[in-house]
Amino acid sequence: MFNSLNPIVRASNSGITTPVVKQVLATGLSGLYSSLPTKLEEKGEDWHCILKDDWLLLPALVQFMNSLEFCNAVIQVAHPLIRTQLVSYIYNGFLVPVLAPALHKVTVEEVMTTTAYLDLFLRSISEPALLEIFLRFILLHRHENVHILDTLTSRINTPFRLCVVSLALFRTLIGLHCEDVMLQLVLSLTGSEVHCFLLWVTKARQSQSCGRLACWTSGIWSPAIT
């Protein structure tokens, strides 16, 4: 897949294909996401996150993950100005108009699936600039005047399956070792949520089943992406 990466990057760096790159990365991700299953097959009561063995069985999710991996690779090697444009397109063309509403679906099954997808995306991103906009989306974006993070933390006290999937997402966020993320998590939790959160932190320190990601996101609190 990456054999054609250099020509694309050279063209985008020269400013020739910026509109095309915008369409491919933003509209492309959005289109692929719309094809994903809105409900996942039951995996047993102990299931809490999507692993590679799971998503390799879903062709639509394989396509989306390949596209996300491609975006990650392009952003890694692109000129800084182009990198800024690309992450902005992904933020404004995918995260805000597509993923935010998906996290607020009506049924528990749909919300649980979207939360599991978000957790998978965070665990799959290695480029700091791309990871940063996902974190800014979670920490700072408001959907219908409610922060995404507040929505996610409120689900700790929901039915068991949604609760553990949400906690798995928090485990991934903790594993990023980002001070801004930890601060906002602590500030957003209520008393009973703090208790569940601390129990999960203890378990997360003892288990590395979902891996750890380095997080260098000093720009999370910079002016909003436009």
Side-chain angles (χ1 to χ4, degrees), residues 115-129:
T115 303
Y117 285 150
L118 177 56
D119 176 49
L120 172 63
F121 302 159
L122 289 173
R123 287 186 279 114
S124 304
I125 295 171
S126 61
E127 167 54 37

Side-chain angles (χ1 to χ4, degrees), residues 72-127:
N72 186 83
V74 170
I75 292 170
Q76 282 181 332
V77 298
H79 184 279
L81 292 178
I82 300 302
R83 182 185 304 126
T84 299
Q85 289 182 324
L86 297 184
V87 296
S88 177
Y89 296 151
I90 294 173
Y91 186 90
N92 291 302
F94 170 60
L95 293 177
V96 171
V98 176
L99 199 57
L103 286 168
H104 295 80
K105 292 288 188 178
V106 176
T107 68
V108 172
E109 291 81 4
E110 289 177 309
V111 169
M112 181 181 68
T113 300
T114 304
T115 303
Y117 285 150
L118 177 56
D119 176 49
L120 172 63
F121 302 159
L122 289 173
R123 287 186 279 114
S124 304
I125 295 171
S126 61
E127 167 54 37

Side-chain angles (χ1 to χ4, degrees), residues 15 38 43 49 59 77 84 92-93 109 118 135 138 147 187 189 197:
T38 56
K43 298 289 185 180
C49 66
V77 298
T84 299
N92 291 302
E109 291 81 4
L118 177 56
L135 294 181
I138 293 172
H147 280 110
L187 292 177
L189 296 173
F197 179 72

